[in-house]
Amino acid sequence: MRKPIIAGNWKLNKTIAEARELAAQLTENLKGIEDREVIIAPVYTALSAVAEVLENSPIQLAAQNCYPEISGAFTGEISPQFLQDAGCQYVIIGHSERRHLMAETDHFINQKMIKVLETGLKPILCIGETLQERENNQMLEILSKQIKGGLANFTTEQMSTVVIAYEPVWAIGTGKTASTEQAQDAHFFIRGLVQELFNPEVAEQTRILYGGSVKPDNVDSLMAQQDIDGALVGGASLKAEDFIRIVQFEI
Ligand code: PEP
């Protein structure tokens, strides 16, 4: 059984005070939740403050990115170790906004994945095709390249804490959700690829989240799909009411 994960990516939103307030609303309403993991990813400057609010709560803390070094002369960067120090358990790696706006490559993403695991944090590796790639029938090739690149040189043991998020770029922040069939087909393909690269046990236990305009009114049907093990939620994670409903999905 794969325990579902609902993760909120707050992106570049919420001041420290606003982040505290949203986290407090979530802790208040999601007490004692055990059958699913809940993760929130505020901006770096709010991590410590939110970690304090999350103390004694089952909600876990994630960062939205990191640099693949532990410490040193890397001005303006943040390492997995410092994120752990701030109270994080998870780190989102290779989000499409970073791949496209900051030109992150699969090799760089792989280096981050390795450092995150070395530190003992859990990575959420994001992959997904653009609309043009989908229309050119390159989707499977792109997903395959991103998975093979991001997980290069990984052992089966290292895969035990890796979470994958399939986020079609054309569905992120656009209000366009992939249909349940489109999402399930992509997730089925990704799981098959993980099996090919590692083994059936790894494929069976790896959690694959869907991301791309997940909302209270589409989460139930997405979560009912066999290979969808959770959601990475952007816009709808900024409103307590919406995110709480998404966490409380029913299948
Ligand atoms: C995201 O940021 O990962 C995301 C899926 O955003 P949205 O839910 O707003 O599409």
Side-chain angles (χ1 to χ4, degrees):
M1 270 299 282
R2 300 182 290 269
K3 191 171 186 176
I5 296 179
I6 303 292
N9 173 15
W10 293 2
K11 308 193 189 192
L12 185 48
N13 293 292
K14 305 282 177 196
T15 61
I16 295 173
E18 290 165 347
R20 268 185 195 280
E21 193 185 325
L22 179 53
Q25 286 174 302
L26 299 179
T27 53
E28 189 53 35
N29 287 279
L30 296 171
K31 280 186 188 140
I33 202 140
E34 277 177 3
D35 62 343
R36 51 202 72 185
E37 280 188 57
V38 183
I39 303 169
I40 52 177
V43 295
Y44 290 141
T45 49
L47 285 173
S48 298
V50 171
E52 276 174 26
V53 179
L54 297 186
E55 237 173 78
N56 305 317
S57 154
I59 302 175
Q60 299 177 84
L61 190 64
Q64 300 173 16
N65 178 39
C66 71
Y67 191 73
E69 291 290 345
I70 295 305
S71 62
F74 304 103
T75 304
E77 295 298 336
I78 191 80
S79 75
Q81 200 167 54
F82 283 81
L83 295 174
Q84 193 170 46
D85 187 42
C88 290
Q89 290 87 25
Y90 279 93
V91 189
I92 298 170
I93 301 288
H95 190 278
S96 77
E97 284 149 19
R98 300 208 60 83
R99 289 179 187 265
H100 298 286
L101 300 174
M102 322 294 170
E104 289 197 0
T105 63
D106 287 317
H107 176 67
F108 191 45
I109 287 165
N110 178 245
Q111 290 178 308
K112 295 185 191 205
M113 292 286 294
I114 291 167
K115 270 299 175 232
V116 167
L117 287 185
E118 269 178 27
T119 312
L121 290 175
K122 294 177 259 191
I124 301 176
L125 171 65
C126 300
I127 58 169
E129 81 287 358
T130 62
L131 185 58
Q132 197 182 12
E133 288 160 349
R134 177 173 273 263
E135 287 175 349
N136 290 344
N137 288 324
Q138 290 174 303
M139 177 183 111
L140 301 185
E141 183 193 326
I142 295 295
L143 296 184
S144 179
K145 181 179 150 295
Q146 292 177 343
I147 291 260
K148 287 180 180 161
L151 300 177
N153 305 313
F154 269 48
T155 63
T156 53
E157 287 71 33
Q158 284 174 311
M159 282 302 290
S160 67
T161 56
V162 171
V163 175
I164 296 172
Y166 168 62
E167 299 204 300
V169 178
W170 48 273
I172 298 181
T174 59
K176 279 188 205 160
T177 320
S179 69
T180 48
E181 292 75 22
Q182 285 173 322
Q184 167 58 26
D185 285 354
H187 282 230
F188 180 79
F189 171 76
I190 294 163
R191 198 174 306 285
L193 194 58
V194 171
Q195 171 161 339
E196 211 176 281
L197 295 173
F198 298 95
N199 62 42
E201 290 72 38
V202 171
E204 189 52 36
Q205 60 87 24
T206 300
R207 289 173 294 177
I208 307 173
L209 317 184
Y210 169 77
S213 299
V214 175
K215 305 271 185 272
D217 63 4
N218 60 24
V219 67
D220 296 345
S221 53
L222 286 163
M223 289 304 298
Q225 304 304 305
Q226 189 169 2
D227 290 295
I228 299 185
D229 307 314
L232 180 52
V233 186
S237 69
L238 296 172
K239 263 190 160 170
E241 191 188 339
D242 286 355
F243 190 64
I244 290 163
R245 170 62 186 88
I246 291 171
V247 170
Q248 292 169 336
F249 70 86
E250 286 170 25
I251 52 174

